[in-house]
Amino acid sequence: MKILIAGAGEVGTHLAKLLSTENHDIVLLDNDHKRLEFAHDDNFDIMPVLGNPTSMKALAMAGAGEAELFISVTPEESMNVVACILASKLGAKKTMARINNNEYLQPDKKAFLASLGIDDMVYPELLAAKEIASGLKLPWTRQYWSLFDGKLDLIAVKIEPHSRLVGRHLYELGDLETKLFHIVAVRRLYHTIIPTGADIIQAGDIVFFTCAPEDKDTVRQFCGKEDIQVKKVFIMGGSRIALRAAELLPSDFKIKIIELDHDHCKRLIDAAPSNVMVINGDARDPRLLKEEGIELSQAFLALTANSEANMLATVAAKRMGVYRTVARIENIDYLDIAVQMDIGNLINKKLLAAASIFRHLLNIDVTNVKCLSIGQADVLEVVATPASKITKAPVKDLKLPKGITLGGLLREGQAILIDGNTVIRPKDVVMIFCVDTPMSRIRSLFA
């Protein structure tokens, strides 16, 4: 597929690198030659083009007319909207724009923009805020995702030393798993593995479970976790993600946003919900945190643009007794380090944006995609067809490619946990968990 990406910032650069490994024809357009320098590296199959994404001449030179997918992800929303409209007029088959205005996602506004040539939009800050709000519902998890419109859950949990799972082979859980949960993958130190029955759960492992929503508490008990309810939240940094998250959290939460910039505090006061208190100060100052009652809070969210500051602040908050910590980490190289630092939930806009875009690239019926920040993995919900290879034999006989496993399926509205004897049927929606795996391997199973 020929893909033209406008904007070589954080999101655009990450997308270009990621998609170039999937055998796509990638062109990266930006008006700053310094941001395009990395694309000259022989390790990346990316063609850099210097030019303004809102210039029809530059778009034509970059091949917008032949692009099967045009993605504009510059930091400027207005530039992305204009670039997509122009690319569509030049002949791009499909366009996507990065936005930072929730208003554009309203049905009437979305329909209007579609009439102008903008087929889809990605709002990374809103995706991040939804991830945060979802995770605070289950603060004992590292990450939590609702699949199949709420009929199945995928939960990542760090195993405590006193957990009933520690020291047990997975085959010992066979009888229990068929009723309550399925272990999909295990993150141990810097690696994520697809386990077999002979693998043993160890203290400190981060284990990925699928289970029915009503069985989440059973998973919590097996992992040795406390049942903590979040009601008071501290947020470091008044970013767009922080504001969106505050809007999505329940109105009975007591939220304090601590922002260093005095003028920005004034804007936050006008925009934030009524249950939010805005404080002008430095959230890295332990005296300020203690004065504001950090010891009475259950969650601390570090959401500034500085990954290093966020990591250090969350570590400090945990030492002060905060149960749930969340750090925004935009430098992907830091993610493994952050996991080992036991920071908690990690938020990365690049991965969230990539997941939103990936579903357009597989040429199969994909209903949902998630790129996991703590597992070096992706999760997809894919619809099986009568011709799909995955429907031709029981799961145990499919010889799935290395790095791929199945966590569950949705059949006629009912969620089912998968085991070796399960036979996938046409129209089943299947949850795929893949570790460091090219998307083409998934396509081969479902095409």
Side-chain angles (χ1 to χ4, degrees), residues 33-225:
H33 69 91
K34 291 183 179 179
R35 289 201 289 260
L36 293 171
E37 287 179 354
F38 83 94
H40 296 284
D41 190 323
D42 291 339
N43 292 323
F44 302 114
D45 188 13
I46 301 169
M47 188 176 86
V49 176
L50 184 64
N52 190 323
T54 59
S55 162
M56 292 195 75
K57 181 179 179 181
L59 288 169
M61 182 174 63
E66 297 78 41
E68 295 172 79
L69 178 62
F70 176 84
I71 308 167
S72 189
V73 286
T74 77
E76 298 296 327
E77 179 183 69
S78 58
M79 180 178 286
N80 296 331
V81 170
V82 172
C84 283
I85 292 172
L86 295 178
S88 177
K89 298 304 179 186
L90 287 170
K93 291 183 180 178
K94 192 165 191 174
T95 66
M96 291 186 69
R98 175 185 177 178
I99 62 171
N100 54 34
N101 186 344
N102 198 45
E103 180 185 6
Y104 287 164
L105 297 177
Q106 296 174 4
D108 57 333
K109 306 296 192 302
K110 198 171 181 179
F112 172 70
L113 291 170
S115 71
L116 298 177
I118 302 173
D119 298 305
D120 209 344
M121 290 168 283
V122 57
Y123 185 2
E125 288 80 8
L126 181 60
L127 295 174
K130 287 181 176 179
E131 188 101 343
I132 291 167
S134 175
L136 290 184
K137 293 178 182 177
L138 294 179
W140 49 272
T141 67
R142 283 301 181 93
Q143 287 189 295
Y144 158 62
W145 306 272
S146 180
L147 305 171
F148 305 148
D149 292 327
K151 294 183 174 63
L152 189 73
D153 291 333
L154 175 63
I155 303 171
V157 190
K158 184 176 181 180
I159 303 300
E160 298 295 335
H162 58 274
S163 164
R164 284 183 279 171
L165 298 174
V166 171
R168 297 179 68 177
H169 293 86
L170 262 62
Y171 67 74
E172 297 179 63
L173 307 174
D175 293 340
L176 186 62
E177 285 187 60
T178 56
K179 300 177 182 177
L180 301 175
F181 58 77
H182 176 64
I183 293 178
V184 178
V186 177
R187 164 87 185 209
R188 183 170 295 157
L189 297 178
Y190 294 100
H191 303 286
T192 300
I193 61 171
I194 305 297
T196 66
D199 284 298
I200 299 173
I201 301 298
Q202 299 178 11
D205 285 349
I206 297 176
V207 178
F208 294 82
F209 300 86
T210 49
C211 67
E214 60 269 21
D215 292 324
K216 288 194 296 283
D217 199 57
T218 299
V219 173
R220 177 189 64 78
Q221 293 175 38
F222 266 83
C223 295
K225 293 292 186 180

Side-chain angles (χ1 to χ4, degrees), residues 19 52 82 134-135 157 201 218 239 251 256 280 282 286 346 404:
L19 296 174
N52 190 323
V82 172
S134 175
V157 190
I201 301 298
T218 299
S239 61
S251 58
K256 293 184 178 181
N280 182 213
D282 189 345
L346 309 178
I404 292 179

